[in-house]
Amino acid sequence: MADSVVPLTFVKVLTPVVSAGDGAPAVLIHGWASGSMYWEPLAERLLDAGRDVWIPDLPGYHPGDTLPPGFPWTLDSAAASVAAAIELRSDSPVHLVGHSMGGSVSLTLAAARPELVATLTLVGMAPVPQNQGFKEVLRSQLDQGFFDPETVAKLMNAWYGELPAADMERLSTGFEVPFPVLSASATAAMTGVEPSVPGRVHAPLLVIAGTEDRVRPMEQMRSFVAESPQRALKAIPGAGHNVHWEQPEKCAAALIGFWKTSRPLPA
């Protein structure tokens, strides 16, 4: 993993009133052009179930963040920064949950630092080639140097479907991240993890996917899971790409069941 590490300026630490007794917190890693707020519905259900929840903003994504000159925003550097935040707060492995690009960051972390990860869950993500149309839309915006409102609306619709105006305003603030960070992390998301990464992950792995995901089709999820007996798939009927936002109760139930029954393979 890259030597470049920046301290994460924001990690929301949530503690339940009554603990479920599992000391491992759930660390929720957001995707591209997103942030900690879209985890709120899922975090509430996990807290109700007695689970500790940590929600970091990735490097450069928290309002007011200033990254060091020359900081290379890559999956490696993002994963190393998250790993440093975990080490700072915990002396035992965590339940790592990554959505979309956050899944790529989480896979990279789990492969490089297996001692930090008790389980790994990928939400709306499998390490397979992305939709070509989606990549072309991103490249056109990166080439012009900004994301225009029409494209933002198109992407948000693909991710969430129809949203109330208030939710659209809140959730689209991820596009307000400084363009150099948005651009570099978009490139990281499009490039994806190195081919050797999934095979180096020893933690039990769950994929949670919406059956109506327009970014990552179910066929891709099933093919990835079928490659290893250490991987499992939970399909959420009718949900889209941001399944944790649309169906937080079902996502929480899937996570809690997975955590209760998972045991890692020897490294």
Side-chain angles (χ1 to χ4, degrees):
M1 196 152 49
D3 294 331
S4 298
V5 176
V6 294
L8 299 184
T9 61
F10 178 84
V11 179
K12 190 173 187 177
V13 176
L14 302 171
T15 305
V17 175
V18 179
S19 173
D22 181 351
V27 181
L28 312 182
I29 309 300
H30 68 79
W32 177 74
S34 302
S36 55
M37 71 180 64
Y38 79 167
W39 288 116
E40 290 173 1
L42 176 61
E44 289 176 7
R45 274 68 176 186
L46 294 177
L47 285 172
D48 289 344
R51 300 286 172 160
D52 291 85
V53 180
W54 301 350
I55 315 176
D57 278 343
L58 291 173
Y61 267 81
H62 192 64
D65 265 6
T66 301
L67 296 179
F71 175 78
W73 210 112
T74 64
L75 296 179
D76 279 352
S77 64
S81 298
V82 174
I86 291 171
E87 287 185 298
L88 186 65
R89 292 167 175 82
S90 179
D91 56 5
S92 59
V94 303
H95 297 302
L96 198 58
V97 182
H99 173 248
S100 200
M101 181 194 73
S104 294
V105 173
S106 299
L107 269 170
T108 303
L109 194 164
R113 299 294 307 275
E115 75 279 8
L116 297 181
V117 182
T119 68
L120 173 62
T121 300
L122 307 178
V123 182
M125 185 270 178
V128 294
Q130 286 190 345
N131 177 286
Q132 191 60 35
F134 177 71
K135 292 173 72 171
E136 289 173 2
V137 169
L138 287 190
R139 288 197 181 101
S140 71
Q141 301 295 288
L142 298 182
D143 289 346
Q144 74 179 12
F146 64 94
F147 280 80
D148 56 64
E150 294 79 9
T151 299
V152 170
K154 181 178 180 179
L155 291 171
M156 291 292 290
N157 183 260
W159 295 340
Y160 292 96
E162 293 295 327
L163 281 172
D167 285 343
M168 174 66 85
E169 184 175 355
R170 289 181 70 231
L171 293 169
S172 63
T173 55
F175 286 94
E176 298 172 7
V177 169
F179 188 78
V181 174
L182 203 59
S183 173
S185 55
T187 299
M190 287 189 289
T191 303
V193 300
E194 299 211 5
S196 68
V197 165
R200 292 190 283 116
V201 173
H202 295 284
L205 190 154
L206 174 67
V207 175
I208 298 178
T211 61
E212 303 303 317
D213 192 334
R214 295 165 60 186
V215 180
R216 295 287 191 181
M218 285 297 301
E219 292 77 11
Q220 293 181 330
M221 310 292 191
R222 291 192 183 98
S223 296
F224 171 69
V225 168
E227 293 172 2
S228 170
Q230 192 71 350
R231 301 171 188 168
L233 174 66
K234 176 61 178 178
I236 307 296
H241 187 56
N242 282 11
V243 56
H244 57 289
W245 173 268
E246 297 177 52
Q247 298 284 353
E249 297 90 351
K250 291 181 180 178
C251 284
L255 286 168
I256 292 165
F258 174 57
W259 297 334
K260 286 180 177 177
T261 59
S262 296
R263 296 291 181 272
L265 291 173

Coordinates of all heavy atoms in Angstrom, one line a residue, residues 158-204:
A158 N -29.3 7.9 -11.7 CA -28.9 6.5 -11.9 C -28.5 5.8 -10.6 O -28.8 4.6 -10.4 CB -27.6 6.5 -12.8
W159 N -28.1 6.6 -9.6 CA -27.7 6.0 -8.3 C -28.9 5.9 -7.4 O -28.9 4.9 -6.7 CB -26.7 6.9 -7.7 CG -25.3 7.1 -8.4 CD1 -24.8 6.2 -9.3 CD2 -24.4 8.1 -8.2 NE1 -23.6 6.6 -9.7 CE2 -23.3 7.8 -9.1 CE3 -24.3 9.3 -7.5 CZ2 -22.2 8.6 -9.2 CZ3 -23.2 10.1 -7.6 CH2 -22.1 9.7 -8.4
Y160 N -29.8 6.8 -7.4 CA -30.8 6.9 -6.4 C -32.2 6.7 -6.9 O -33.2 6.5 -6.2 CB -30.8 8.2 -5.6 CG -29.6 8.4 -4.7 CD1 -28.5 9.1 -5.2 CD2 -29.6 7.9 -3.4 CE1 -27.4 9.3 -4.3 CE2 -28.5 8.1 -2.6 CZ -27.4 8.8 -3.1 OH -26.3 9.0 -2.2
G161 N -32.4 6.9 -8.2 CA -33.8 7.0 -8.8 C -34.4 8.4 -8.4 O -33.6 9.3 -8.1
E162 N -35.7 8.5 -8.4 CA -36.3 9.7 -8.0 C -36.1 10.1 -6.6 O -36.4 9.2 -5.7 CB -37.8 9.6 -8.4 CG -38.1 9.5 -9.9 CD -37.7 10.7 -10.6 OE1 -37.8 11.9 -10.1 OE2 -37.3 10.6 -11.8
L163 N -35.7 11.3 -6.3 CA -35.5 11.7 -4.9 C -36.3 13.0 -4.6 O -36.4 13.8 -5.5 CB -34.0 12.1 -4.7 CG -33.0 11.0 -4.5 CD1 -31.6 11.5 -4.5 CD2 -33.2 10.2 -3.2
P164 N -36.8 13.1 -3.4 CA -37.4 14.4 -3.0 C -36.3 15.5 -3.1 O -35.1 15.3 -3.0 CB -37.7 14.2 -1.5 CG -37.9 12.7 -1.4 CD -36.9 12.1 -2.3
A165 N -36.7 16.7 -3.4 CA -35.8 17.8 -3.6 C -34.8 18.0 -2.5 O -33.6 18.3 -2.7 CB -36.6 19.1 -3.9
A166 N -35.3 17.9 -1.2 CA -34.4 18.1 -0.1 C -33.3 17.0 0.0 O -32.2 17.4 0.3 CB -35.3 18.1 1.2
D167 N -33.7 15.8 -0.3 CA -32.7 14.7 -0.3 C -31.7 14.9 -1.5 O -30.5 14.7 -1.3 CB -33.3 13.4 -0.5 CG -34.0 12.9 0.8 OD1 -33.6 13.5 1.9 OD2 -34.8 12.0 0.8
M168 N -32.2 15.3 -2.6 CA -31.3 15.6 -3.8 C -30.3 16.7 -3.4 O -29.1 16.5 -3.7 CB -32.1 16.1 -5.0 CG -31.3 16.5 -6.2 SD -30.3 15.2 -6.9 CE -31.6 14.5 -8.0
E169 N -30.7 17.7 -2.8 CA -29.8 18.8 -2.4 C -28.7 18.3 -1.4 O -27.6 18.6 -1.5 CB -30.6 20.0 -1.7 CG -29.7 21.2 -1.4 CD -30.6 22.3 -0.9 OE1 -31.8 22.2 -0.9 OE2 -29.9 23.3 -0.5
R170 N -29.2 17.5 -0.4 CA -28.2 17.0 0.6 C -27.2 16.0 0.0 O -26.0 16.1 0.2 CB -29.0 16.3 1.8 CG -29.7 17.2 2.7 CD -30.4 16.4 3.8 NE -29.4 15.9 4.7 CZ -29.4 14.6 5.1 NH1 -30.2 13.7 4.6 NH2 -28.5 14.2 6.0
L171 N -27.8 15.1 -0.8 CA -26.9 14.0 -1.2 C -26.0 14.4 -2.4 O -25.0 13.7 -2.6 CB -27.8 12.8 -1.6 CG -28.6 12.1 -0.5 CD1 -29.6 11.2 -1.0 CD2 -27.6 11.4 0.4
S172 N -26.3 15.4 -3.1 CA -25.5 15.8 -4.2 C -24.4 16.7 -3.8 O -23.6 17.1 -4.7 CB -26.3 16.5 -5.3 OG -26.9 17.7 -4.8
T173 N -24.2 17.0 -2.5 CA -23.1 17.9 -2.0 C -21.8 17.2 -2.3 O -20.7 17.9 -2.2 CB -23.3 18.2 -0.6 OG1 -23.4 17.0 0.2 CG2 -24.5 19.1 -0.3
G174 N -21.8 15.9 -2.5 CA -20.5 15.2 -2.8 C -19.8 15.8 -4.1 O -18.6 15.7 -4.2
F175 N -20.6 16.4 -5.0 CA -20.1 17.0 -6.2 C -19.5 18.4 -5.9 O -18.9 19.0 -6.8 CB -21.1 17.1 -7.2 CG -21.5 15.8 -7.9 CD1 -22.5 15.1 -7.5 CD2 -20.7 15.4 -9.0 CE1 -22.9 13.8 -8.1 CE2 -21.0 14.2 -9.6 CZ -22.1 13.4 -9.1
E176 N -19.6 18.9 -4.6 CA -19.0 20.1 -4.3 C -17.5 19.9 -3.7 O -16.9 20.9 -3.4 CB -19.8 20.8 -3.2 CG -21.2 21.2 -3.7 CD -22.1 21.7 -2.6 OE1 -21.6 21.9 -1.4 OE2 -23.3 21.8 -2.8
V177 N -17.1 18.7 -3.7 CA -15.7 18.4 -3.3 C -14.8 19.1 -4.3 O -15.1 19.2 -5.5 CB -15.4 16.9 -3.4 CG1 -14.0 16.6 -3.3 CG2 -16.2 16.2 -2.2
P178 N -13.6 19.7 -3.9 CA -12.7 20.3 -4.8 C -12.5 19.5 -6.1 O -12.2 18.3 -5.9 CB -11.5 20.6 -4.0 CG -12.0 20.7 -2.6 CD -13.1 19.7 -2.5
F179 N -12.5 20.1 -7.2 CA -12.4 19.3 -8.5 C -11.2 18.4 -8.6 O -11.3 17.3 -9.0 CB -12.5 20.2 -9.7 CG -12.6 19.4 -11.0 CD1 -13.8 18.9 -11.4 CD2 -11.4 19.2 -11.8 CE1 -13.9 18.2 -12.6 CE2 -11.5 18.5 -13.0 CZ -12.7 18.0 -13.3
P180 N -10.0 18.9 -8.1 CA -8.8 17.9 -8.2 C -9.0 16.6 -7.4 O -8.6 15.6 -7.8 CB -7.7 18.8 -7.6 CG -8.1 20.2 -7.8 CD -9.6 20.2 -7.7
V181 N -9.7 16.7 -6.2 CA -10.0 15.5 -5.5 C -11.1 14.7 -6.2 O -11.0 13.5 -6.3 CB -10.5 15.9 -4.1 CG1 -11.0 14.6 -3.3 CG2 -9.4 16.6 -3.3
L182 N -12.1 15.4 -6.7 CA -13.2 14.7 -7.4 C -12.7 14.0 -8.6 O -13.0 12.8 -9.0 CB -14.3 15.7 -7.8 CG -15.7 15.2 -8.0 CD1 -16.3 14.5 -6.8 CD2 -16.6 16.3 -8.4
S183 N -11.8 14.7 -9.4 CA -11.2 14.1 -10.6 C -10.3 12.9 -10.3 O -10.4 11.9 -10.9 CB -10.4 15.2 -11.3 OG -9.7 14.7 -12.4
A184 N -9.4 13.1 -9.3 CA -8.5 12.0 -9.0 C -9.2 10.8 -8.5 O -8.9 9.6 -8.8 CB -7.4 12.5 -8.0
S185 N -10.2 11.0 -7.6 CA -10.9 9.8 -7.1 C -11.8 9.2 -8.1 O -12.0 8.0 -8.1 CB -11.7 10.3 -5.8 OG -12.6 11.3 -6.1
A186 N -12.3 10.0 -9.1 CA -13.1 9.4 -10.2 C -12.2 8.5 -11.0 O -12.6 7.4 -11.5 CB -13.7 10.5 -11.1
T187 N -11.0 8.9 -11.3 CA -10.0 8.1 -12.0 C -9.7 6.8 -11.3 O -9.6 5.8 -11.9 CB -8.7 8.9 -12.3 OG1 -9.0 10.1 -13.1 CG2 -7.7 8.1 -13.0
A188 N -9.5 6.9 -10.0 CA -9.3 5.7 -9.1 C -10.5 4.8 -9.2 O -10.3 3.6 -9.3 CB -9.0 6.2 -7.7
A189 N -11.7 5.4 -9.2 CA -12.9 4.5 -9.2 C -13.0 3.8 -10.6 O -13.4 2.6 -10.6 CB -14.1 5.4 -9.0
M190 N -12.7 4.5 -11.7 CA -12.8 3.9 -13.0 C -11.7 2.9 -13.2 O -11.9 1.8 -13.8 CB -12.7 5.0 -14.1 CG -13.9 5.9 -14.2 SD -13.9 6.9 -15.6 CE -12.6 8.1 -15.2
T191 N -10.5 3.1 -12.7 CA -9.4 2.2 -12.8 C -9.7 0.9 -12.0 O -9.4 -0.2 -12.5 CB -8.1 2.8 -12.4 OG1 -7.9 4.0 -13.1 CG2 -6.9 1.9 -12.6
G192 N -10.2 1.0 -10.8 CA -10.5 -0.1 -10.0 C -9.3 -0.8 -9.3 O -8.1 -0.3 -9.5
V193 N -9.5 -1.8 -8.6 CA -8.4 -2.5 -7.9 C -7.5 -3.3 -8.8 O -7.9 -3.7 -9.9 CB -9.0 -3.4 -6.8 CG1 -9.8 -2.7 -5.8 CG2 -9.8 -4.6 -7.4
E194 N -6.3 -3.4 -8.4 CA -5.4 -4.3 -9.2 C -5.9 -5.7 -9.2 O -6.5 -6.2 -8.2 CB -4.0 -4.2 -8.6 CG -3.4 -2.8 -8.6 CD -1.9 -2.8 -8.7 OE1 -1.3 -3.9 -8.9 OE2 -1.3 -1.7 -8.6
P195 N -5.6 -6.4 -10.3 CA -6.2 -7.8 -10.4 C -5.9 -8.7 -9.3 O -6.6 -9.7 -9.0 CB -5.6 -8.3 -11.8 CG -5.3 -7.0 -12.5 CD -4.9 -6.0 -11.5
S196 N -4.7 -8.6 -8.6 CA -4.3 -9.5 -7.6 C -5.0 -9.2 -6.3 O -5.0 -10.1 -5.4 CB -2.8 -9.4 -7.3 OG -2.4 -8.1 -6.8
V197 N -5.6 -8.1 -6.1 CA -6.2 -7.7 -4.8 C -7.2 -8.6 -4.3 O -7.2 -9.1 -3.1 CB -6.7 -6.2 -4.9 CG1 -7.6 -5.9 -3.7 CG2 -5.5 -5.2 -4.9
P198 N -8.3 -9.0 -5.0 CA -9.4 -9.8 -4.4 C -8.8 -11.1 -3.9 O -9.3 -11.6 -2.9 CB -10.3 -10.0 -5.6 CG -10.1 -8.8 -6.4 CD -8.7 -8.5 -6.4
G199 N -7.9 -11.7 -4.6 CA -7.3 -13.0 -4.2 C -6.5 -12.9 -2.9 O -6.2 -14.0 -2.3
R200 N -6.1 -11.7 -2.6 CA -5.3 -11.5 -1.3 C -6.1 -11.2 -0.1 O -5.5 -10.9 1.0 CB -4.2 -10.5 -1.6 CG -3.1 -10.9 -2.6 CD -1.9 -10.0 -2.6 NE -2.2 -8.8 -3.4 CZ -2.2 -7.5 -2.9 NH1 -2.0 -7.4 -1.6 NH2 -2.4 -6.5 -3.6
V201 N -7.4 -11.2 -0.3 CA -8.3 -10.9 0.8 C -8.7 -12.2 1.5 O -9.3 -13.0 0.9 CB -9.5 -10.1 0.4 CG1 -10.5 -9.9 1.5 CG2 -9.2 -8.7 -0.2
H202 N -8.3 -12.3 2.8 CA -8.6 -13.5 3.6 C -9.9 -13.4 4.4 O -10.4 -14.4 4.9 CB -7.4 -13.9 4.4 CG -6.2 -14.3 3.6 ND1 -6.1 -15.5 3.0 CD2 -5.1 -13.6 3.3 CE1 -5.0 -15.5 2.3 NE2 -4.3 -14.4 2.5
A203 N -10.3 -12.1 4.6 CA -11.5 -11.9 5.5 C -12.7 -12.5 4.8 O -12.9 -12.4 3.6 CB -11.7 -10.4 5.8
P204 N -13.7 -13.0 5.6 CA -15.0 -13.3 5.0 C -15.6 -12.1 4.3 O -15.5 -11.0 4.8 CB -15.8 -13.7 6.2 CG -14.9 -14.1 7.3 CD -13.7 -13.2 7.0

